Amino acid sequence: MSRYPFPVPFGWFQVAWDHELAPGQVLPRYYFARHLVLWRDESGAVHLQDAFCPHLGAHLGHGGSVRGTEIECPFHGWTFDGEGRNTCIPYSERTNAKARIRSYPTIVRNGLIMAWYHPDETVGPQWEIPELAEFNAAEGFSEPVCRRYTVHAAWQELAENGADSAHFRYVHNTEVVPEIEEYRAEGPHAVMRSSQKFPTPRGVVEGRIDVDNWGPGFAFTRFSGIVDTFLMGCNTPIDEDTCELHFTFTVRSLGDDGTTSSVGEAFVNEVHKQVIEDGPIWENKAHLVRPALADTDGPFMKFRKWAAQFYAEGVRDDRLVWEPPPPGTFESTMVPTEATASRKHRGKGNA
Ligand code: FES
Ligand SMILES: [Fe+2]
């Protein structure tokens, strides 16, 4: 029985941080309920492709190697280019034009490697991911801090948190319920503007949380008040029921590096604490098609209408209550699977 009424959505999704993939490197990935191979050729171009070699099915992410701008299969040495075309069969004079691997459009933006996924491979990118000054400036901002979580819940359940102003008080113990001033959607772009009171050891500070989403996989949040903090939150569906959440933070420089990084670290730890608090709710909640809302609840139904546009196969409508699987079906991993990484660690190891 399905956990959710939603299929895997389409959009741009983060599949790695730029610093995780050096030229010549090959990584196995599993997203969109598919086995994938992510590799960077020696010219620096990034490729995401279906994992299985069309010859006899070897997984190119396990033992495949980069040869210039091509990838070589570990099983019988066939090579494929970035478009997935067979370029050489080392023990034959000819190539096999039918041996083709699906390739996904990729971009490297804001320090993230992102791929376009749509269940129909003929449907190319429908919107762009903006370049953010805060993550591309040479100075004025702290080194980015990265966190990765695996959550046993659909991306939509995580994203719905943004529309849920009331939960901040009860799940995260914020002093007051943040006030959502505006929520609107324009195609794949959704905008949320809110004011918020931040609890600090020295009392409550007035602040703001402003969020811009471009599709299901990319949200840019600006926190202001205590310190200007910028967050890229990227949900990547592992399958219909599970997603990987990626956070990349930067803090506007406070003058000296030591203060900036300690204030930034405190902020990152607070957001991390919130995700860990949300985890058990997300993983164990039912998805109610017709929630019983208070008149002062956030814009849930507007959010759900916006989210529904990303399901190419439509949303299933044969049930009103979608429950989690029986206890013991999955083990919660709501702890960071990668504690921290940053540009300072570029090229050192992989997740
Ligand atoms: S399975 Fe890839 S070359 Fe044979
Ligand atoms: Fe939350």
Side-chain angles (χ1 to χ4, degrees):
M1 202 147 68
S2 298
R3 167 74 173 96
Y4 294 107
F6 327 116
V8 172
F10 64 85
W12 285 106
F13 298 100
Q14 182 180 348
V15 294
W17 277 282
D18 190 21
H19 63 75
E20 292 182 300
L21 191 68
Q25 204 171 351
V26 180
L27 295 173
R29 283 289 190 259
Y30 187 86
Y31 295 124
F32 326 126
R34 305 179 78 96
H35 291 276
L36 302 164
V37 58
L38 177 67
W39 55 286
R40 182 168 241 152
D41 68 31
E42 275 152 20
S43 79
V46 169
H47 308 281
L48 183 74
Q49 296 176 320
D50 277 348
F52 300 120
C53 178
H55 177 220
L56 282 158
H59 192 308
L60 296 169
H62 291 279
S65 47
V66 173
R67 299 271 179 262
T69 56
E70 298 175 357
I71 186 164
E72 184 183 303
C73 178
F75 208 177
H76 313 94
W78 292 28
T79 57
F80 299 88
D81 66 15
E83 274 80 56
R85 287 178 297 238
N86 176 219
T87 49
C88 171
I89 299 172
Y91 49 89
S92 166
E93 296 291 299
R94 306 175 50 191
T95 57
N96 185 333
K98 284 201 205 105
R100 218 188 151 112
I101 305 173
R102 178 171 176 185
S103 303
Y104 300 84
T106 59
I107 51 171
V108 180
R109 194 146 301 161
N110 306 312
L112 316 180
I113 298 175
M114 303 192 76
W116 172 262
Y117 170 75
H118 191 288
D120 179 348
E121 81 172 285
T122 66
V123 180
Q126 307 283 295
W127 61 88
E128 305 232 330
I129 296 297
E131 210 168 291
L132 304 173
E134 293 82 357
F135 289 94
N136 291 282
E139 54 187 48
F141 297 91
S142 69
E143 283 290 330
V145 174
C146 312
R147 298 262 171 133
R148 174 187 273 139
Y149 307 86
T150 299
V151 188
H152 292 268
W155 79 276
Q156 187 175 320
E157 295 284 33
L158 278 62
E160 195 166 271
N161 234 240
D164 184 357
S165 41
H167 94 284
F168 284 96
R169 175 143 189 195
Y170 302 97
V171 181
H172 306 311
N173 291 309
T174 57
E175 291 288 310
V176 294
V177 174
E179 191 195 330
I180 297 181
E181 298 168 350
E182 184 185 7
Y183 181 90
R184 70 190 147 81
E186 290 152 10
H189 185 202
V191 171
M192 205 266 288
R193 301 286 175 255
S194 71
S195 55
Q196 162 82 298
K197 293 183 200 277
F198 293 102
T200 75
R202 271 162 273 131
V204 172
V205 173
E206 296 282 338
R208 301 192 53 76
I209 304 178
D210 296 307
V211 188
D212 288 80
N213 294 270
W214 283 270
F218 187 81
F220 177 47
T221 304
R222 285 162 289 154
F223 300 91
S224 49
I226 308 169
V227 58
D228 291 341
T229 304
F230 305 91
L231 164 64
M232 293 185 288
C234 297
N235 283 315
T236 308
I238 294 173
D239 55 28
E240 287 188 0
D241 303 348
T242 318
C243 78
E244 197 170 86
L245 174 59
H246 309 88
F247 282 158
T248 310
F249 295 91
T250 189
V251 177
R252 193 188 302 280
S253 177
L254 298 166
D256 82 279
D257 286 357
T259 316
T260 306
S261 67
S262 62
V263 169
E265 205 175 304
F267 198 90
V268 172
N269 289 339
E270 172 60 25
V271 176
H272 167 72
K273 177 183 131 297
Q274 292 201 4
V275 173
I276 296 299
E277 288 165 346
D278 283 321
I281 305 259
W282 290 332
E283 293 188 334
N284 297 295
K285 75 186 287 292
H287 175 77
L288 305 182
V289 175
R290 293 192 194 138
L293 297 174
D295 56 353
T296 45
D297 260 325
F300 286 90
M301 291 319 191
K302 277 190 189 166
F303 162 78
R304 290 187 181 185
K305 189 170 172 232
W306 172 78
Q309 70 182 299
F310 305 113
Y311 300 123
E313 303 98 325
V315 175
R316 291 185 278 272
D317 61 0
D318 49 323
R319 269 190 281 156
L320 291 175
V321 178
W322 300 79
E323 294 181 11
T329 309
F330 64 85
E331 198 178 327
S332 180
T333 55
M334 276 305 289
V335 288
T337 51
E338 180 182 87
T340 51
S342 77
R343 286 205 297 229
K344 279 180 183 151
H345 303 277
R346 189 190 295 269
K348 283 193 201 150
N350 296 291

Coordinates of all heavy atoms in Angstrom, one line a residue, residues 260-302:
T260 N 31.9 36.0 13.3 CA 31.0 35.5 12.2 C 30.8 34.0 12.3 O 29.7 33.5 12.3 CB 31.5 35.9 10.9 OG1 31.8 37.3 10.8 CG2 30.5 35.5 9.8
S261 N 31.9 33.3 12.5 CA 31.7 31.8 12.4 C 31.1 31.3 13.7 O 30.3 30.4 13.7 CB 33.1 31.1 12.1 OG 34.0 31.3 13.1
S262 N 31.3 32.0 14.9 CA 30.7 31.4 16.1 C 29.2 31.8 16.1 O 28.4 30.9 16.5 CB 31.4 31.9 17.4 OG 31.4 33.2 17.5
V263 N 28.8 32.9 15.6 CA 27.4 33.3 15.5 C 26.7 32.4 14.5 O 25.6 31.8 14.7 CB 27.2 34.8 15.2 CG1 25.8 35.1 14.8 CG2 27.7 35.7 16.3
G264 N 27.4 32.2 13.4 CA 26.9 31.3 12.3 C 26.7 29.9 12.8 O 25.6 29.3 12.6
E265 N 27.7 29.4 13.6 CA 27.6 28.1 14.1 C 26.4 27.9 15.1 O 25.7 26.9 15.0 CB 28.9 27.8 14.8 CG 29.2 26.3 14.9 CD 30.6 26.1 15.6 OE1 31.6 26.7 15.0 OE2 30.7 25.4 16.6
A266 N 26.2 28.9 15.9 CA 25.1 28.9 16.8 C 23.7 28.8 16.1 O 22.8 28.1 16.4 CB 25.1 30.1 17.8
F267 N 23.7 29.6 15.0 CA 22.5 29.6 14.2 C 22.2 28.3 13.5 O 21.1 27.7 13.5 CB 22.5 30.7 13.1 CG 21.2 31.1 12.6 CD1 20.4 32.1 13.2 CD2 20.7 30.4 11.5 CE1 19.2 32.4 12.8 CE2 19.4 30.7 11.0 CZ 18.7 31.7 11.7
V268 N 23.3 27.7 12.9 CA 23.2 26.4 12.2 C 22.7 25.4 13.2 O 21.9 24.5 12.9 CB 24.5 26.1 11.6 CG1 24.5 24.6 11.0 CG2 24.9 27.0 10.4
N269 N 23.3 25.4 14.4 CA 22.9 24.4 15.4 C 21.5 24.6 15.8 O 20.8 23.5 16.1 CB 23.8 24.6 16.7 CG 25.2 24.1 16.4 OD1 25.5 23.3 15.4 ND2 26.2 24.6 17.2
E270 N 20.9 25.8 15.8 CA 19.5 26.0 16.1 C 18.6 25.4 15.0 O 17.7 24.7 15.3 CB 19.2 27.5 16.3 CG 17.7 27.8 16.5 CD 17.0 27.2 17.7 OE1 17.7 26.8 18.6 OE2 15.8 27.0 17.6
V271 N 19.0 25.6 13.8 CA 18.2 25.1 12.7 C 18.3 23.5 12.7 O 17.3 22.8 12.5 CB 18.6 25.7 11.3 CG1 17.8 25.0 10.2 CG2 18.3 27.2 11.3
H272 N 19.5 23.0 12.9 CA 19.7 21.6 13.0 C 18.8 21.0 14.1 O 18.2 20.0 13.9 CB 21.2 21.3 13.3 CG 21.4 19.9 13.8 ND1 21.4 18.8 12.9 CD2 21.7 19.3 15.0 CE1 21.6 17.7 13.6 NE2 21.8 18.0 14.8
K273 N 18.8 21.7 15.3 CA 18.0 21.2 16.4 C 16.5 21.1 15.9 O 15.8 20.2 16.2 CB 18.1 22.2 17.6 CG 17.3 21.9 18.8 CD 17.5 23.0 19.8 CE 16.3 23.6 20.4 NZ 15.3 24.3 19.8
Q274 N 16.1 22.2 15.2 CA 14.7 22.2 14.7 C 14.4 21.0 13.8 O 13.3 20.4 13.8 CB 14.4 23.5 14.0 CG 14.4 24.7 15.0 CD 13.6 25.9 14.4 OE1 13.0 25.8 13.4 NE2 13.6 27.0 15.2
V275 N 15.3 20.7 12.9 CA 15.1 19.6 12.0 C 15.0 18.3 12.7 O 14.1 17.5 12.5 CB 16.2 19.5 10.9 CG1 16.0 18.2 10.0 CG2 16.2 20.7 10.0
I276 N 15.8 18.1 13.7 CA 15.8 16.9 14.5 C 14.5 16.8 15.3 O 13.9 15.7 15.5 CB 17.0 16.8 15.4 CG1 18.3 16.7 14.6 CG2 17.0 15.7 16.4 CD1 18.4 15.5 13.7
E277 N 14.0 18.0 15.7 CA 12.7 18.0 16.4 C 11.5 17.7 15.4 O 10.6 17.0 15.8 CB 12.4 19.4 17.0 CG 13.3 19.7 18.2 CD 13.3 21.2 18.6 OE1 12.9 22.1 17.8 OE2 13.8 21.5 19.7
D278 N 11.6 18.2 14.2 CA 10.6 17.9 13.2 C 10.6 16.4 12.8 O 9.5 15.9 12.4 CB 10.8 18.7 12.0 CG 10.4 20.2 12.1 OD1 9.4 20.5 12.7 OD2 11.1 21.1 11.6
G279 N 11.7 15.8 12.8 CA 11.9 14.5 12.2 C 10.8 13.4 12.7 O 10.2 12.8 11.8
P280 N 10.7 13.2 14.0 CA 9.7 12.2 14.4 C 8.3 12.5 14.0 O 7.5 11.6 13.8 CB 9.8 12.2 15.9 CG 11.1 12.9 16.3 CD 11.4 13.8 15.1
I281 N 8.0 13.9 13.9 CA 6.6 14.2 13.4 C 6.4 13.9 12.0 O 5.5 13.2 11.6 CB 6.4 15.8 13.6 CG1 6.6 16.2 15.0 CG2 5.0 16.2 13.1 CD1 5.5 16.4 15.9
W282 N 7.4 14.3 11.1 CA 7.3 14.0 9.7 C 7.2 12.5 9.4 O 6.4 12.0 8.6 CB 8.6 14.5 9.0 CG 8.7 16.0 8.9 CD1 7.6 16.9 8.9 CD2 9.9 16.8 8.8 NE1 8.2 18.2 8.8 CE2 9.5 18.1 8.7 CE3 11.2 16.4 8.7 CZ2 10.5 19.1 8.6 CZ3 12.2 17.4 8.6 CH2 11.8 18.8 8.6
E283 N 8.1 11.7 10.1 CA 8.2 10.3 9.8 C 7.0 9.5 10.2 O 6.7 8.5 9.7 CB 9.5 9.7 10.3 CG 10.7 10.4 9.7 CD 12.1 9.7 10.0 OE1 12.2 9.1 11.1 OE2 13.0 9.8 9.2
N284 N 6.3 10.0 11.3 CA 5.2 9.2 11.9 C 3.9 9.7 11.6 O 2.9 9.1 12.1 CB 5.5 9.0 13.4 CG 6.8 8.2 13.6 OD1 6.9 7.1 13.3 ND2 7.8 8.9 14.2
K285 N 3.7 10.9 11.0 CA 2.4 11.5 10.8 C 1.7 10.8 9.6 O 2.3 10.3 8.7 CB 2.5 13.0 10.6 CG 3.0 13.4 9.2 CD 3.3 14.9 9.0 CE 2.0 15.7 9.0 NZ 1.2 15.5 7.7
A286 N 0.3 10.9 9.7 CA -0.5 10.6 8.5 C -0.6 11.8 7.6 O -0.5 12.9 8.1 CB -1.8 10.1 9.0
H287 N -0.7 11.6 6.3 CA -1.1 12.7 5.5 C -2.6 12.7 5.3 O -3.2 11.8 4.8 CB -0.4 12.5 4.1 CG -0.8 13.6 3.2 ND1 -0.3 14.9 3.2 CD2 -1.8 13.6 2.2 CE1 -0.9 15.7 2.3 NE2 -1.8 14.9 1.7
L288 N -3.2 13.8 5.8 CA -4.6 14.0 5.8 C -5.0 14.8 4.6 O -4.6 16.0 4.5 CB -5.2 14.6 7.1 CG -4.8 13.9 8.4 CD1 -5.4 14.7 9.6 CD2 -5.2 12.5 8.4
V289 N -5.8 14.3 3.7 CA -6.2 15.0 2.5 C -7.1 16.2 2.9 O -7.0 17.3 2.3 CB -6.9 14.1 1.5 CG1 -7.5 14.9 0.3 CG2 -5.9 13.0 1.0
R290 N -7.9 16.0 3.9 CA -8.8 17.1 4.4 C -8.5 17.3 5.9 O -9.2 16.9 6.8 CB -10.3 16.7 4.3 CG -10.6 16.6 2.8 CD -12.1 16.5 2.6 NE -12.4 16.1 1.3 CZ -13.4 15.2 0.9 NH1 -14.1 14.6 1.9 NH2 -13.6 14.9 -0.3
P291 N -7.4 18.1 6.2 CA -7.1 18.4 7.5 C -8.2 19.3 8.2 O -8.8 20.1 7.5 CB -5.7 19.1 7.4 CG -5.7 19.7 6.1 CD -6.5 18.8 5.2
A292 N -8.3 19.1 9.5 CA -9.3 20.0 10.2 C -8.5 21.2 10.7 O -7.9 21.2 11.7 CB -9.9 19.2 11.4
L293 N -8.6 22.3 10.0 CA -7.8 23.5 10.2 C -8.5 24.5 11.1 O -9.7 24.6 11.1 CB -7.3 24.1 8.9 CG -6.5 23.3 8.0 CD1 -6.2 24.0 6.7 CD2 -5.1 22.9 8.6
A294 N -7.6 25.3 11.9 CA -8.1 26.4 12.6 C -8.1 27.6 11.6 O -7.4 27.6 10.6 CB -7.2 26.8 13.8
D295 N -9.0 28.6 11.9 CA -9.1 29.7 10.9 C -7.7 30.5 10.9 O -7.4 31.2 10.0 CB -10.3 30.7 11.2 CG -10.3 31.1 12.7 OD1 -9.4 30.7 13.5 OD2 -11.1 32.0 13.0
T296 N -7.0 30.4 12.0 CA -5.7 31.1 12.1 C -4.5 30.3 11.7 O -3.4 30.7 11.9 CB -5.5 31.6 13.5 OG1 -5.8 30.6 14.4 CG2 -6.4 32.8 13.8
D297 N -4.7 29.1 11.2 CA -3.6 28.2 10.7 C -3.0 28.9 9.4 O -3.7 29.7 8.8 CB -4.2 26.8 10.4 CG -3.8 25.8 11.5 OD1 -2.8 25.9 12.1 OD2 -4.7 24.9 11.7
G298 N -1.8 28.4 9.1 CA -1.1 28.9 7.9 C -1.8 28.5 6.6 O -2.8 27.8 6.6
P299 N -1.2 29.0 5.5 CA -1.8 28.8 4.2 C -1.5 27.4 3.6 O -1.0 27.2 2.5 CB -1.1 29.8 3.3 CG 0.2 30.0 3.9 CD 0.1 29.8 5.4
F300 N -2.0 26.3 4.3 CA -1.8 24.9 3.9 C -2.3 24.6 2.5 O -1.7 24.0 1.7 CB -2.4 24.0 4.9 CG -1.7 23.9 6.2 CD1 -2.0 24.7 7.3 CD2 -0.7 23.0 6.4 CE1 -1.3 24.7 8.5 CE2 0.0 22.9 7.6 CZ -0.3 23.7 8.6
M301 N -3.6 25.0 2.3 CA -4.2 24.6 1.1 C -3.6 25.3 -0.2 O -3.4 24.7 -1.2 CB -5.7 24.8 1.1 CG -6.3 23.8 2.1 SD -5.6 22.1 2.0 CE -6.6 21.1 2.9
K302 N -3.2 26.6 0.0 CA -2.4 27.3 -1.0 C -1.1 26.5 -1.3 O -0.7 26.4 -2.5 CB -2.1 28.7 -0.6 CG -3.3 29.7 -0.9 CD -2.7 31.1 -0.6 CE -3.8 32.1 -0.6 NZ -3.3 33.4 -0.1

